């Protein structure tokens, strides 16, 4: 019996297996109403099996005439009721996939619910729905046509949905749904006239496959669009970051210093231009490759900035270093805004001293931290409070975030006896793992 079922329903089983494999292969895709696909496969296989079993029992009864009619009739009725209740469900679930709004599913399920009720009460209606004659034939009553009426209704819904998509200029989707509509009409005609019995099951699976492929392609296109939009936002963020990090006041001051040096000291002017060129190059390079860099490399960049600032004859700015540990890595352009902040807000109009220090500190529990401090000599803007200093500019907030993401590091500010102290604390363990990524 099972071999005969397999032979008669080979294409249905094969298409169901293909749909199941494809649905599983793309299970990570966020496709609307995809959860209905396994249910469609199961219902279609049940439909094909009950249809086959109904015919097999009938053929056995007619050929052997050994089955007790009192047993044969209830079995035929149960199988027929099951088959005709299940028959409209695959196309209804196809509509659920095509129209994924759950609020509309209640409305779309009404025809199927009516059909289910009619066939459930079939044994109580005499021959109004159907009856099994004494010679074993299945005779459909007037109410038994509801299964075809429901199928036609759902098929017309497909046509309506395709027309709506054409009106919305979504012609590809409308064309595919129209194709499904024509397939279902063709299958219903062939099934009704007995030309190709059971063809509805295969067409239903084929229709789901067709529309599922469309959803996959649509998802991939939407994903490409989303990635393109994200890339655009990243590019815009990088440009904003570049604009923010290349602070206008520093650019203008640097150009002003160079202009002044050109008139008074050409050698120092050339040196200042070289340092300014390094400043621009490092910023652009850092945006293309934002990975962590050796601290000494970041320090070189800061030194080029300090060299430009120290070229200003109107200010006497002194830079001291206390570098006890330099064998570590930090995100690029993280020390620069801290030093710039110290110069701009921590020193007075005539200048002052900036101290940059680094050290490795081991706590009592054996945990090691790398500590970088930038201290100013004070005398700068008095009305800059500690809270304001922490929130001073998007650049410092961005620096704090990048340190946290890249190295799990912390950036803090505190007021000392003379001025402000900016402190970076980097867990040494993050140096071993390379830190976290953005």
């Amino acid at each position: 019996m099972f071999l005969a079922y397999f032979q008669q329903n080979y294409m249905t089983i094969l298409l169901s297996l293909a749909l199941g494999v494809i649905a599983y292969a793309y299970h990570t895709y966020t496709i609307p109403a995809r959860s209905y696909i396994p249910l469609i496969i199961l219902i279609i296989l049940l439909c094909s099996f009950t249809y086959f079993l109904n015919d097999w029992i009938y053929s056995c009864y007619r050929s052997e005439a050994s089955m007790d009619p009192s047993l044969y009739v209830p079995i035929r009725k149960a199988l027929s009721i099951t088959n005709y209740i299940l028959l409209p469900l695959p196309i209804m679930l196809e509509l659920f996939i095509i129209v994924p709004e759950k609020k509309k599913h209640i409305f779309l399920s009404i025809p199927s619910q009516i059909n289910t009720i009619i066939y459930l009460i079939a044994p109580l209606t005499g021959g109004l729905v159907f009856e099994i004659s004494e010679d074993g034939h299945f005779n459909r009553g007037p109410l038994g046509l509801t299964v075809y009426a429901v199928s036609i209704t759902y098929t017309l819904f497909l046509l309506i949905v395709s027309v709506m998509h054409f009106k919305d200029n979504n012609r590809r989707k409308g064309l595919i749904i129209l194709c499904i509509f024509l397939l279902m009409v063709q299958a219903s005609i062939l099934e009704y006239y007995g030309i190709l019995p059971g063809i509805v099951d295969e067409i239903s699976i084929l229709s789901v496959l067709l529309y599922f492929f469309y959803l996959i392609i649509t998802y991939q296109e939407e994903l490409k669009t989303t990635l393109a939009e994200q890339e655009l936002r990243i590019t815009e963020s990088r440009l904003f970051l570049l604009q923010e990090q290349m602070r206008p006041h520093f650019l203008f001051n640097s150009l002003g210093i160079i202009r002044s040096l050109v008139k008074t000291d050409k050698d120092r002017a050339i040196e200042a231009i070289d340092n300014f060129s390094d400043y621009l190059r490092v910023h652009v390079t850092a945006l293309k490759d934002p990975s962590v860099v050796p601290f000494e490399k970041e320090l070189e960049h800061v030194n080029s900035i300090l060299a430009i600032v120290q070229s200003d004859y109107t200010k006497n700015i002194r830079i001291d270093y206390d570098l006890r540990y330099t064998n570590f890595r930090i995100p690029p352009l993280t020390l620069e805004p801290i030093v710039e902040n110290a110069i701009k807000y921590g020193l007075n109009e005539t200048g002052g001293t900036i101290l940059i220090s680094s050290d490795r500190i081991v706590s009592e529990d054996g945990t090691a931290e790398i500590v970088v401090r930038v201290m100013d000599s004070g005398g700068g803007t008095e009305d800059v409070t500690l809270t304001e200093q922490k929130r001073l500019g998007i650049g410092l907030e961005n620096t704090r975030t990048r340190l946290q993401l890249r190295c799990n590091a912390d950036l803090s500010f505190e007021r000392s006896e003379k001025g402000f102290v900016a402190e970076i604390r980097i867990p040494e363990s993050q140096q071993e793992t390379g830190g976290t990524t953005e």
Side-chain angles (χ1 to χ4, degrees):
M1 180 182 73
F2 289 104
L3 179 60
Y5 167 74
F6 181 79
Q7 291 174 337
Q8 291 184 20
N9 296 275
Y10 174 74
M11 285 303 299
T12 300
I13 296 171
L14 192 64
L15 288 171
S16 299
L17 181 63
L19 177 59
V21 170
I22 293 171
Y24 176 76
Y26 291 93
H27 70 280
T28 56
Y29 281 30
T30 307
I31 295 177
R34 62 170 300 124
S35 59
Y36 290 119
I37 292 177
L39 188 58
I40 290 175
I41 295 173
L42 178 62
I43 291 175
I44 288 177
L45 291 176
L46 283 175
C47 279
S48 65
F49 186 72
T50 55
Y51 189 91
F52 165 80
L53 196 59
N54 212 333
D55 283 351
W56 183 76
I57 290 175
Y58 173 70
S59 62
C60 289
Y61 178 76
R62 293 286 294 170
S63 60
E64 299 176 5
S66 59
M67 184 177 291
D68 185 354
S70 62
L71 182 62
Y72 166 78
V73 171
I75 292 176
R76 280 291 308 273
K77 283 186 177 181
L79 289 173
S80 297
I81 290 171
T82 303
N83 183 260
Y84 287 114
I85 288 176
L86 294 176
L87 196 59
L89 295 183
I91 188 171
M92 180 191 75
L93 294 175
E94 284 182 41
L95 275 168
F96 285 3
I97 295 176
I98 293 171
V99 185
E101 295 86 354
K102 290 189 176 181
K103 291 181 179 179
K104 296 180 180 178
H105 292 178
I106 298 174
F107 169 74
L108 291 173
S109 67
I110 292 175
S112 179
Q113 293 177 28
I114 294 173
N115 180 70
T116 300
I117 293 171
I118 288 174
Y119 273 93
L120 284 176
I121 64 173
L124 307 176
T125 60
L128 286 177
V129 181
F130 72 86
E131 63 179 354
I132 307 297
S133 64
E134 294 181 359
D135 60 354
H137 282 91
F138 176 91
N139 297 314
R140 192 183 307 276
L143 288 180
L145 295 173
T146 54
V147 65
Y148 296 108
V150 170
S151 298
I152 292 172
T153 301
Y154 285 140
T155 306
L156 290 175
F157 279 148
L158 283 173
L159 178 61
I160 293 171
V161 172
S162 67
V163 171
M164 290 173 62
H165 283 294
F166 271 109
K167 287 184 177 180
D168 293 338
N169 291 323
N170 192 348
R171 298 189 180 278
R172 284 193 305 171
K173 188 171 186 178
L175 184 61
I176 289 176
I177 298 173
L178 181 61
C179 180
I180 294 173
F181 163 76
L182 295 175
L183 284 173
M184 296 307 300
V185 169
Q186 178 187 358
S188 300
I189 293 172
L190 295 174
E191 179 81 19
Y192 183 79
Y193 287 103
I195 300 173
L196 287 175
I199 194 67
V200 171
D201 297 334
E202 297 171 4
I203 294 298
S204 296
I205 288 288
L206 184 61
S207 299
V208 177
L209 265 172
L210 178 64
Y211 193 70
F212 191 66
F213 273 123
Y214 166 78
L215 292 176
I216 291 172
I217 293 170
T218 302
Y219 177 84
Q220 289 177 332
E221 290 177 350
E222 290 176 351
L223 185 62
K224 287 180 181 178
T225 302
T226 301
L227 291 175
E229 291 175 351
Q230 289 178 349
E231 185 65 28
L232 178 61
R233 285 196 294 269
I234 290 172
T235 302
E236 290 175 346
S237 298
R238 286 179 174 177
L239 290 174
F240 178 78
L241 177 62
L242 180 62
Q243 181 184 14
E244 173 58 32
Q245 289 182 328
M246 291 183 177
R247 291 172 175 80
H249 76 270
F250 179 77
L251 295 178
F252 296 146
N253 288 346
S254 298
L255 291 173
I257 292 171
I258 293 172
R259 182 177 182 276
S260 176
L261 290 173
V262 168
K263 295 179 179 179
T264 58
D265 192 336
K266 292 185 178 181
D267 291 337
R268 293 189 67 183
I270 293 173
E271 183 182 353
I273 291 172
D274 291 338
N275 289 325
F276 188 65
S277 176
D278 290 340
Y279 169 83
L280 297 175
R281 177 182 52 78
V282 170
H283 275 76
V284 174
T285 303
L287 291 174
K288 293 180 180 179
D289 182 16
S291 57
V292 292
V293 297
F295 175 70
E296 292 177 343
K297 186 175 181 180
E298 176 71 3
L299 203 59
E300 289 178 6
H301 173 59
V302 171
N303 287 336
S304 67
I305 298 171
L306 293 173
I308 297 174
V309 174
Q310 288 177 314
S311 298
D312 185 0
Y313 290 118
T314 63
K315 292 184 179 181
N316 181 22
I317 299 176
R318 177 182 172 184
I319 309 298
D320 291 337
Y321 297 95
D322 183 16
L323 306 176
R324 302 181 182 182
Y325 187 78
T326 59
N327 187 25
F328 62 95
R329 303 172 73 86
I330 64 172
L333 309 180
T334 50
L335 188 60
E336 175 208 326
I338 298 172
V339 174
E340 282 190 25
N341 184 67
I343 293 172
K344 184 177 181 181
Y345 297 103
L347 306 181
N348 57 36
E349 294 181 357
T350 60
T353 302
I354 300 292
L355 173 63
I356 301 175
S357 66
S358 62
D359 200 0
R360 178 179 180 271
I361 300 175
V362 181
S363 61
E364 294 181 357
D365 61 359
T367 304
E369 280 187 321
I370 299 163
V371 179
V372 180
R373 292 189 179 95
V374 177
M375 295 174 280
D376 60 63
S377 58
T381 306
E382 294 294 337
D383 59 350
V384 179
T385 64
L386 179 61
T387 302
E388 290 170 338
Q389 186 77 2
K390 287 183 179 180
R391 297 178 180 177
L392 196 56
I394 299 174
L396 287 179
E397 286 302 316
N398 177 66
T399 300
R400 179 181 284 108
T401 302
R402 292 173 64 231
L403 282 166
Q404 173 64 36
L405 291 173
R406 288 287 183 181
C407 306
N408 196 25
D410 178 61
L411 171 62
S412 61
F413 294 87
E414 63 180 11
R415 191 186 293 275
S416 67
E417 295 179 359
K418 295 182 178 180
F420 275 99
V421 179
E423 183 178 85
I424 302 173
R425 285 186 171 267
I426 308 172
E428 191 176 53
S429 59
Q430 294 298 312
Q431 295 291 307
E432 297 172 0
T433 60
T436 56
T437 59
E438 290 181 276

